[in-house]
């Protein structure tokens, strides 16, 4: 009898000084995207440090952790994790491990059933009614400034091409310009008064030279290098 009493007292003392882990989940069945939470508590720490996964990294894939709150005193470790699941189906929270003074404590696994409560016939409404917003000139500029600048650049390019085509090319000698130049040279020859002074040879030499230049410019004939007989032919 004394032996049984001793064993019973030993077990009570061992439990009194050992760490006790407990966990609970608020709901086992949740709607798609509904917020749920799991709570883990470890008692009788006796100033021992608890090692576990970092914040927002304790739960596995599919469980979107929204808030991970951790609090610890000398004797109690408390952790509350709010989470949501955005996929329909059954998902398992496995055993979660916590180390206390080299000893591994584990929670029990939980199976969470996620259902889609929306129906095909449900009407989807906007969160807020559409609101008409009046835009100022600066707002339109911010919206369309790149299009406006691009249009201006295209217009400037077109104007530059037109100006180049119209004024950039080397002008060809027109018949009017060639004729006016010839008339000026003939007038200059007349003012020299070779005929009045009897200097017929100089008159005919310069007259032939003026004629050659005129023919060369007007008709694109190399009159300045051809003989007089060739020009006559």
């Amino acid at each position: 009898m004394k032996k049984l009493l001793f064993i019973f007292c030993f077990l009570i003392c061992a439990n009194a000084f050992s760490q006790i882990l407990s966990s609970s989940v608020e709901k086992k069945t949740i709607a798609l995207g509904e917020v749920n939470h799991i709570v883990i508590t470890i008692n009788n720490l006796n100033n021992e440090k608890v090692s576990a996964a970092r914040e927002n990294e304790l739960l596995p894939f599919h469980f979107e952790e929204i808030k991970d709150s951790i609090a610890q005193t000398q004797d109690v470790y408390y952790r509350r994790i709010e989470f949501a699941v955005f996929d329909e189906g059954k998902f398992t929270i496995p055993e979660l491990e916590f180390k206390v003074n080299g000893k591994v404590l584990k929670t029990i696994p939980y199976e969470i059933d996620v259902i889609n409560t929306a129906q095909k016939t449900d009407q989807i409404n906007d969160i807020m009614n559409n609101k008409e917003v009046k835009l100022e000139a600066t707002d339109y500029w911010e919206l369309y400034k790149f299009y406006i600048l691009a249009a201006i650049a295209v217009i400037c390019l077109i104007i530059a091409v037109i100006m180049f085509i119209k004024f950039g090319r080397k002008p060809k000698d027109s018949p009017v310009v060639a004729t006016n130049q010839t008339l000026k040279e003939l007038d200059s020859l007349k003012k020299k008064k070779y005929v009045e002074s009897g200097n017929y040879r100089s008159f005919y030499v310069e007259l032939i030279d003026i004629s050659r230049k005129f023919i060369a410019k007007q008709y694109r004939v190399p009159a300045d290098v051809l003989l007089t007989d060739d020009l006559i032919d």
Side-chain angles (χ1 to χ4, degrees):
M1 184 69 181
K2 290 182 179 180
K3 190 174 182 180
L4 292 174
L5 182 62
F6 175 77
I7 294 173
F8 180 73
C9 292
F10 176 78
L11 292 175
I12 292 176
C13 293
N15 288 329
F17 292 100
S18 64
Q19 292 81 24
I20 301 174
L21 183 146
S22 62
S23 62
S24 63
V25 173
E26 182 185 17
K27 297 178 182 179
K28 299 290 183 66
T29 301
I30 59 175
L32 199 66
E34 181 183 357
V35 178
N36 197 7
H37 69 261
I38 180 173
V39 176
I40 301 100
T41 305
I42 303 176
N43 295 307
N44 300 331
L45 288 177
N46 297 321
N47 289 327
E48 296 291 345
K49 185 178 179 181
V50 178
S51 298
R54 293 181 296 180
E55 288 187 20
N56 301 317
E57 295 183 3
L58 185 62
L59 299 184
F61 185 69
H62 289 299
F63 294 88
E64 186 73 24
E65 297 189 30
I66 300 171
K67 186 178 180 181
D68 192 348
S69 303
I70 302 174
Q72 183 173 353
T73 62
Q74 293 181 352
D75 293 322
V76 179
Y77 174 88
Y78 178 85
R79 188 164 185 173
R80 186 178 189 274
I81 303 173
E82 295 182 4
F83 64 89
V85 182
F86 297 94
D87 293 318
E88 189 176 358
K90 290 186 178 182
F91 304 95
T92 301
I93 299 177
E95 295 179 343
L96 305 177
E97 295 185 355
F98 297 84
K99 288 184 180 180
V100 181
N101 194 21
K103 183 180 179 181
V104 178
L105 304 177
K106 297 181 180 181
T107 64
I108 60 174
Y110 295 97
E111 188 175 77
I112 307 297
D113 190 11
V114 183
I115 59 175
N116 187 0
T117 57
Q119 303 295 328
K120 292 183 179 180
T121 57
D122 291 346
Q123 183 178 359
I124 300 176
N125 298 319
D126 292 335
I127 298 175
M128 297 180 63
N129 294 328
N130 294 330
K131 185 178 179 181
E132 185 177 352
V133 179
K134 292 184 178 180
L135 298 178
E136 302 292 337
T138 54
D139 298 324
Y140 284 108
W141 168 252
E142 290 297 328
L143 287 172
Y144 302 108
K145 61 181 179 181
F146 295 107
Y147 300 100
I148 295 173
L149 294 175
I152 293 174
V154 171
I155 293 172
C156 292
L157 180 61
I158 293 173
I159 293 174
V161 171
I162 294 173
M163 295 293 289
F164 175 78
I165 294 174
K166 188 174 182 180
F167 302 104
R169 294 181 178 179
K170 185 177 179 180
K172 297 181 179 179
D173 295 334
S174 63
V176 176
V177 174
T179 303
N180 291 338
Q181 181 66 28
T182 303
L183 292 175
K184 289 180 181 180
E185 292 177 356
L186 290 174
D187 186 60
S188 177
L189 177 61
K190 182 180 178 181
K191 290 179 180 180
K192 292 180 180 180
K193 297 182 179 181
Y194 287 135
V195 177
E196 287 81 351
S197 61
N199 191 358
Y200 300 107
R201 186 177 183 283
S202 298
F203 175 78
Y204 285 115
V205 169
E206 290 193 21
L207 179 61
I208 292 172
D209 187 52
I210 293 171
S211 300
R212 287 177 181 274
K213 291 180 181 179
F214 175 76
I215 294 172
K217 289 183 179 180
Q218 184 73 16
Y219 301 105
R220 306 295 178 183
V221 176
D224 51 345
V225 296
L226 293 176
L227 298 176
T228 305
D229 294 337
D230 295 330
L231 289 174
I232 295 173
D233 293 339

